[in-house]
Amino acid sequence: MPRDNIPPSAMKKLQQFFTKTLDTNNDGLVNWTDFEAAIESVVSKDDAAKNARLKVLRKRLEQHFQKYFWDLCAVGDANKDGNIDLDEWLDVMNDIIGGLKDKNEFPEWYEGLHKALWRANEFLDERNVSKDEFANMLISWDIDEKSAEKAFDFITDHGQKRMDYHLFSEFMKKFFLNEAPKHPLNLGLD
């Protein structure tokens, strides 16, 4: 499948995003095991067992991630093996980036993942997330702190805009659409 919506300058960034944020066990595939590891890194089973609020948060996160994983498999698992390899993921991203270019919006199923990731964090005020809180969220995706802080400064215009879910969603759109090398939006993945 031609990937005409992914500029060559963005290919490395997308490959790194797959490897660092999705393929948690580095086996070259994204499957439910990777999502379970991501859930565990956000809210561990041990912590959830000791705290009712964390138990509810973990359960919701599991439900959102299961939905996203099965939606991802429905649109991207070309060989129907229950895994998403890098080529399949890049094909999905080609379609998502095409949609962003046309309508500036994510497909509803993909937006759901971002909402789940946002809600899974312990922000003091999710309508005004601090630079440290934003960096901690991205560090959990294996993004280095300095790159996360640079991205925060860029997208918030050095704190002039409040980081809320809407701005985070805009950030993710710009991340996928940005073609400029070494730009703060690339999170150091290029």
Side-chain angles (χ1 to χ4, degrees):
M1 165 183 228
R3 297 187 184 117
D4 51 350
N5 290 314
I6 301 175
S9 61
M11 191 60 73
K12 181 181 177 195
K13 172 178 71 172
L14 293 175
Q15 290 169 336
Q16 288 292 315
F17 188 81
F18 175 88
T19 302
K20 286 184 170 241
T21 65
L22 298 173
D23 183 15
T24 59
N25 61 6
N26 297 310
D27 65 356
L29 302 170
V30 174
N31 51 41
W32 182 242
T33 303
D34 294 295
F35 281 86
E36 288 176 319
I39 292 165
E40 187 66 18
S41 74
V42 174
V43 181
S44 72
K45 283 184 182 179
D46 290 342
D47 289 346
K50 298 174 197 169
N51 182 302
R53 186 180 56 75
L54 292 178
K55 183 177 183 179
V56 170
L57 179 63
R58 182 180 170 95
K59 186 66 176 169
R60 285 185 188 152
L61 193 59
E62 288 171 344
Q63 291 169 342
H64 288 293
F65 275 25
Q66 282 177 343
K67 180 177 180 349
Y68 169 72
F69 176 70
W70 292 118
D71 287 347
L72 177 61
C73 284
V75 298
D77 187 9
N79 62 5
K80 305 296 182 208
D81 66 351
N83 299 302
I84 301 293
D85 63 30
L86 178 60
D87 283 328
E88 290 170 325
W89 189 76
L90 289 171
D91 289 341
V92 170
M93 291 316 301
N94 185 66
D95 293 343
I96 288 173
I97 290 169
L100 287 172
K101 288 178 179 179
D102 291 344
K103 301 178 198 166
N104 195 35
E105 60 186 44
F106 287 114
E108 187 176 326
W109 69 269
Y110 193 77
E111 183 81 26
L113 171 68
H114 292 163
K115 287 180 182 175
L117 289 169
W118 184 259
R119 291 179 184 142
N121 289 278
E122 293 290 316
F123 300 132
L124 289 176
D125 179 358
E126 70 178 31
R127 293 165 294 160
N128 192 15
V129 173
S130 73
K131 183 190 295 190
D132 287 342
E133 290 172 322
F134 181 78
N136 285 335
M137 177 179 67
L138 295 186
I139 288 167
S140 74
W141 300 1
D142 209 15
I143 303 298
D144 73 81
E145 185 174 6
K146 189 174 183 176
S147 296
E149 289 174 348
K150 285 180 182 179
F152 181 90
D153 286 341
F154 179 82
I155 200 71
T156 64
D157 195 19
H158 295 279
Q160 297 301 308
K161 299 176 188 172
R162 292 185 322 171
M163 175 57 79
D164 58 9
Y165 178 74
H166 175 74
L167 192 59
F168 172 70
S169 182
E170 288 303 309
F171 164 72
M172 291 306 300
K173 291 172 188 174
K174 289 178 181 186
F175 169 80
F176 288 117
L177 291 173
N178 183 54
E179 296 181 32
K182 305 298 179 197
H183 193 282
L185 287 170
N186 295 338
L187 298 171
L189 298 177
D190 56 346

